[in-house]
Amino acid sequence: MTVKERTKPQVATMNAVHDLPVLVARDKGFFKDEGLDLEFVTTPGMAQVTTSHFVKFDSVFDRPLDSVYNEGGIDQYRMCEWGIMKRAVEANTQGLRGRKIVALGASMSKFAIVVAGNSKYYEPEMLKIQPIAVTPNNGSDFTTLKMMEGFLAQEHVKRTNAGSMLKRLEAVRDGKVAAASVMEPWISVAQKWGLRILIESHSTRSEAAGDDLDGPTLKKMFRAQARAVELIEKDPTPFIHYFIRETGGLLKPEEFQTWRLLHAAPQPYTHERWEDTYNWTVKWNMTVPGATYENTVDNRAWQ
């Protein structure tokens, strides 16, 4: 189906830690309350215990979600702030289907760097030149750099790929890697397994959309998410099942650490935030230089 043939916007869902407000808004009927008729497209995520997807450090556009978007099967999606920025910037340079940053997203996902319970590493700086397992060019990768650059020089921060969140924790447990960067529900799994948490940080989402998805529609979508955020922030426990499902039974509801969840209504992506985040990303050689706020960001939902 081509972009022109579609009759309803198609919205991606992947990992609950990124997409919880979307999932809640969908299942509570908040999008329908806004008069929206959306199609939800589920793509493989590294937080899912069943995923066999193994990402590499090369082109992000070969990954399932990006491939579907480039072929016109998705109109709107969200992932880590820097991952969206990289894709929005580099799609233009590679002649791929365009996308813009259309909001600062609702989910402030928690990431943690973990080591084995009997590890000789007790603080982040002790991981000097020790590879940390991440998802290349995604949230765990970027947030790892953010957490580690306060302790080590840039050339001493090393990352590697060990597969999904589950595979990463198994690699740490089995002594195959020194450390891994994981998000919920896998931080809770790490705690259950007796792994040691060295450092944690929140990682904000960004929302991306193609130019054919108009501002009024985005505004309604973000308003539905904001309504879901109110429910989640009031009491997240009714929504734990989204996370527990991703672990395939490795975690019980009472073992999930709900205090790590943090959400806020989607908001405009500011020029100041663009400058800070884009320049930081270029510094780490994680995207190409030369992009501008004007050709990458479009806050049309608030215009």
Side-chain angles (χ1 to χ4, degrees):
M1 183 181 292
T2 66
V3 174
K4 292 183 180 179
E5 291 172 342
R6 286 201 305 272
T7 58
K8 62 179 70 174
Q10 294 176 303
V11 179
T13 59
M14 189 169 49
N15 300 314
V17 75
H18 305 327
D19 298 324
L20 187 59
V22 174
L23 297 171
V24 172
R26 178 196 67 188
D27 295 345
K28 291 291 185 180
F30 296 163
F31 290 118
K32 290 183 178 180
D33 290 345
E34 293 287 344
L36 296 172
D37 184 14
L38 306 176
E39 181 178 345
F40 296 91
V41 180
T42 301
T43 58
M46 300 304 284
Q48 297 155 20
V49 72
T50 56
T51 188
S52 59
H53 183 49
F54 193 90
V55 300
K56 300 179 180 179
F57 275 96
D58 46 18
S59 177
V60 297
F61 297 109
D62 293 333
R63 300 178 186 180
L65 185 150
D66 297 284
S67 297
V68 174
Y69 178 86
N70 290 326
E71 295 168 1
I74 292 171
D75 296 308
Q76 199 275 325
Y77 63 97
R78 70 222 50 81
M79 57 176 60
C80 83
E81 182 178 2
W82 312 288
I84 292 289
M85 182 170 288
K86 180 179 178 67
R87 287 155 175 79
V89 168
E90 295 184 9
N92 293 334
T93 66
Q94 297 185 32
L96 298 171
R97 182 186 178 194
R99 70 216 69 190
K100 295 285 181 65
I101 299 172
V102 293
L104 187 66
S107 297
M108 276 64 78
S109 310
K110 202 72 176 289
F111 281 88
I113 297 176
V114 303
V115 297
N118 61 354
S119 170
K120 62 182 179 180
Y121 305 113
Y122 298 96
E123 53 188 359
E125 54 264 48
M126 297 178 76
L127 291 174
K128 181 179 181 180
I129 71 171
Q130 296 298 319
I132 303 168
V134 303
T135 304
N137 291 309
N138 266 34
S140 60
D141 192 4
F142 294 111
T143 310
T144 293
L145 298 180
K146 280 281 191 178
M147 288 189 282
M148 294 300 296
E149 70 176 351
F151 298 92
L152 294 172
Q154 190 167 347
E155 65 270 21
H156 293 151
V157 182
K158 305 299 180 182
R159 296 104 68 213
T160 189
N161 191 3
S164 68
M165 299 282 169
L166 172 60
K167 295 300 183 184
R168 267 173 252 178
L169 291 185
E170 290 175 339
V172 169
R173 181 195 62 192
D174 298 340
K176 295 179 179 179
V177 297
S181 180
V182 295
M183 58 193 179
E184 285 291 19
W186 298 99
I187 306 174
S188 293
V189 173
Q191 287 184 294
K192 180 178 180 179
W193 286 6
L195 302 186
R196 181 188 305 143
I197 296 174
L198 294 191
I199 187 171
E200 299 184 46
S201 176
H202 287 289
S203 169
T204 308
R205 307 301 91 198
S206 284
E207 301 267 355
D211 291 338
D212 50 317
L213 195 56
D214 62 78
T217 299
L218 285 170
K219 184 176 183 177
K220 292 177 182 178
M221 291 169 65
F222 296 153
R223 195 158 56 206
Q225 284 195 48
R227 188 177 168 191
V229 164
E230 291 183 4
L231 282 184
I232 297 167
E233 286 299 291
K234 184 177 180 180
D235 180 11
T237 53
F239 313 113
I240 291 173
H241 63 91
Y242 295 103
F243 295 92
I244 301 304
R245 184 184 306 130
E246 291 182 343
T247 71
L250 292 177
L251 203 65
K252 298 177 182 178
E254 62 271 19
E255 295 169 329
F256 180 71
Q257 304 292 313
T258 59
W259 62 269
R260 286 195 177 94
L261 299 180
L262 179 62
H263 298 85
Q267 55 189 283
Y269 200 89
T270 67
H271 196 288
E272 180 181 12
R273 191 174 186 101
W274 156 265
E275 291 289 342
D276 292 342
T277 304
Y278 178 62
N279 290 335
W280 178 88
T281 307
V282 172
K283 179 189 78 172
W284 280 97
N285 195 31
M286 302 194 85
T287 193
V288 297
T292 66
Y293 178 82
E294 288 73 21
N295 65 23
T296 312
V297 179
D298 188 343
N299 290 311
R300 57 184 178 267
W302 289 273
Q303 297 171 354

